[in-house]
Amino acid sequence: MEAQDLPTLHDLEQLSEVVRGHDLGRDLYLRWSRGPGFDADSVSRDALTGVELPGLSANPLRVESWWGSRSLRLWVARRLHDYRHLRDRQPGADVRAWLLAGTEVARGPDNEPLVACDRPLAWVAEEALREAHRLVTEQKSDWGSLDRQA
């Protein structure tokens, strides 16, 4: 499927439904980049050393057992919120969040999954990112993104 043909998930409920329908996110990942077409010809690199990594850096959506019966919407909101800074840290324009089914091939320098993209699934709309920010903010905690430079 070409990037322009990917559907767009407009809110957290749509993203939650995809995760629910995919064995609670098993083998689902969020990636922040220009999209699957761009990533087909690129590699992830360790930001500190420049070392080429054996897969694409991505964020797992699989719901962990310790999450229990808590809100799936909150789970996906947190996953979006945790790494939203990546959009602003990559050179060039048009960096967006997108969902993929993938196979983990290694772990990166921050212990993040490095994946091979088996199938791009959908773009994540800006509205879903704003909704994720609102939902995380409503938790009244000191939680921020995982941005080291913030």
Side-chain angles (χ1 to χ4, degrees):
M1 181 178 289
E2 297 296 321
Q4 66 270 14
D5 297 330
L6 289 178
T8 300
L9 303 173
H10 294 280
D11 58 38
L12 294 181
E13 189 55 40
Q14 288 179 325
L15 182 52
S16 297
E17 283 302 315
V18 173
V19 170
R20 188 176 290 111
H22 229 274
D23 195 18
L24 290 179
R26 183 180 199 91
D27 301 324
L28 288 184
Y29 299 88
L30 283 170
R31 170 115 172 110
W32 294 85
S33 74
R34 294 183 197 166
F38 178 82
D39 285 343
D41 297 323
S42 69
V43 297
S44 290
R45 293 188 177 278
D46 175 22
L48 179 65
T49 63
V51 171
E52 186 175 309
L53 302 173
L56 298 171
S57 297
N59 311 105
L61 280 175
R62 185 182 77 195
V63 180
E64 297 293 339
S65 60
W66 56 262
W67 188 251
S69 61
R70 293 172 184 87
S71 165
L72 183 55
R73 275 183 72 243
L74 182 56
W75 176 264
V76 298
R78 182 174 179 166
R79 302 311 294 156
L80 280 171
H81 183 77
D82 284 350
Y83 293 96
R84 70 187 187 280
H85 64 279
L86 294 176
R87 175 178 46 192
D88 302 323
R89 297 276 185 245
Q90 296 185 47
D94 302 325
V95 172
R96 298 170 61 187
W98 58 283
L99 182 66
L100 64 107
T103 303
E104 186 174 326
V105 295
R107 302 295 286 191
D110 293 323
N111 202 33
E112 77 279 15
L114 300 175
V115 300
C117 178
D118 297 331
R119 188 168 43 110
L121 298 174
W123 294 106
V124 178
E126 188 64 34
E127 305 98 282
L129 300 175
R130 285 192 297 269
E131 184 183 357
H133 178 73
R134 278 192 309 273
L135 188 56
V136 170
T137 301
E138 289 171 2
Q139 301 308 303
K140 306 279 191 237
S141 73
D142 292 332
W143 189 255
S145 81
L146 297 179
D147 184 1
R148 290 184 183 156
Q149 298 177 11

